[in-house]
Amino acid sequence: EYGGPTYSAMVSYFLGADQFLLLTTVVFAGSTILTGFGLEIVIGQRLVASVRRNNAQAGWMAAQITFPLMLTTASWSGPIGMPFLATGLWKFFFPETVCYFYAATNKQNSLLHRASSGLNCAGTVLHHTVASFLVNGLNTGYIRRTRTMYKIVLPLIVQHWFAPAKYLSRRLYIPTVLLCEAWYQFESYDSLLDPDLQTEVEGCIYVMLAAHWLYLAGAFVTLLPNYQDLSLIHI
């Protein structure tokens, strides 16, 4: 089906069926990534600037709440799921990554704030890039829908169930998210022992683990003495 025509002067002629599926997945993932980061830059900042602080914070919380549903829908909807993936991952295009980047590069912020923001920015770029590749790979058929694949995805979906608790009760949020993180880490390292694990999935697991360790490091920095965050919207 994806082997291509018997004659062609194009690059796809030299690709086997699996290689062509990989190319398709990369192109689809690239479209998702460019849309997500692009709309963050183009409309995200204007979106926040055009609404009041309380409304912007409420909108951000709503984006957090809908993330698990968006990701679940995107994983099972084929090409039609791409808008759900971009909208969910990039939180309705609120400028999450852009805010982290500006906070990390703004010399008026404290060193700790800049360090935490830089870690979170790097983690978010890695996280969204890998998630885009994996979900698009599932929908193109390049990534096999196996138990090993889903056992590393399920903890992440459940972890995002509790993301809004960050703004309601940190006593509830911190232990719950750390418990889900431990679940995710265990499943990820266990998946790496699977002899039938796809090479691309193995690479994605390593990159996603790196993203989560960057998030954890960024969170640790916020617990240090003298950390101060003067952001109008807390992400």
Side-chain angles (χ1 to χ4, degrees):
E1 182 180 358
Y2 292 98
T6 57
Y7 59 91
S8 176
M10 307 305 292
V11 174
S12 59
Y13 175 74
F14 301 97
L15 301 177
D18 287 344
Q19 293 172 321
F20 188 75
L21 266 183
L22 174 59
L23 174 62
T24 302
T25 301
V26 170
V27 171
F28 286 2
S31 298
T32 306
I33 293 165
L34 288 175
T35 299
F37 286 124
L39 288 180
E40 258 201 38
I41 296 170
V42 173
I43 71 171
Q45 298 176 83
R46 292 176 175 82
L47 176 66
V48 173
S50 64
V51 297
R52 295 180 179 179
R53 175 178 176 179
N54 289 341
N55 291 338
Q57 190 71 51
W60 171 249
M61 290 177 64
Q64 293 270 23
I65 292 171
T66 58
F67 174 84
L69 179 61
M70 290 288 190
L71 183 58
T72 303
T73 303
S75 300
W76 288 95
S77 303
I80 200 174
M82 292 176 66
F84 291 95
L85 177 61
T87 305
L89 272 180
W90 278 271
K91 313 297 194 305
F92 289 88
F93 311 112
F94 272 77
E96 179 183 22
T97 316
V98 173
C99 286
Y100 281 140
F101 177 79
Y102 283 152
T105 56
N106 187 350
K107 295 183 179 180
Q108 294 182 348
N109 290 331
S110 67
L111 181 61
L112 291 178
H113 186 190
R114 293 176 63 189
S116 176
S117 298
L119 291 166
N120 282 314
C121 181
T124 302
V125 170
L126 292 178
H127 176 278
H128 289 8
T129 300
V130 170
S132 296
F133 177 81
L134 283 175
V135 174
N136 278 285
L138 288 171
N139 287 331
T140 62
Y142 183 73
I143 302 296
R144 295 189 295 270
R145 295 181 182 271
T146 64
R147 177 170 179 162
T148 298
M149 177 66 236
Y150 279 106
K151 76 177 189 177
I152 62 175
V153 174
L154 295 179
L156 298 179
I157 294 177
V158 174
Q159 188 178 52
H160 282 88
W161 289 355
F162 302 100
K166 176 180 181 180
Y167 312 101
L168 302 174
S169 171
R170 293 183 67 87
R171 290 183 178 180
L172 170 65
Y173 170 76
I174 292 176
T176 304
V177 170
L178 287 179
L179 182 62
C180 291
E181 181 65 25
W183 177 23
Y184 162 71
Q185 295 273 342
F186 175 82
E187 296 287 9
S188 295
Y189 287 114
D190 184 64
S191 296
L192 293 172
L193 302 177
D194 184 351
D196 297 322
L197 186 65
Q198 285 181 261
T199 303
E200 292 78 11
V201 175
E202 179 181 6
C204 288
I205 291 174
Y206 280 119
V207 176
M208 188 64 82
L209 283 169
H212 274 247
W213 282 109
L214 287 169
Y215 284 143
L216 288 171
F220 175 77
V221 171
T222 65
L223 300 177
L224 296 176
N226 302 322
Y227 175 83
Q228 188 176 24
D229 183 356
L230 301 178
S231 303
L232 292 179
I233 299 176
H234 297 290
I235 56 180

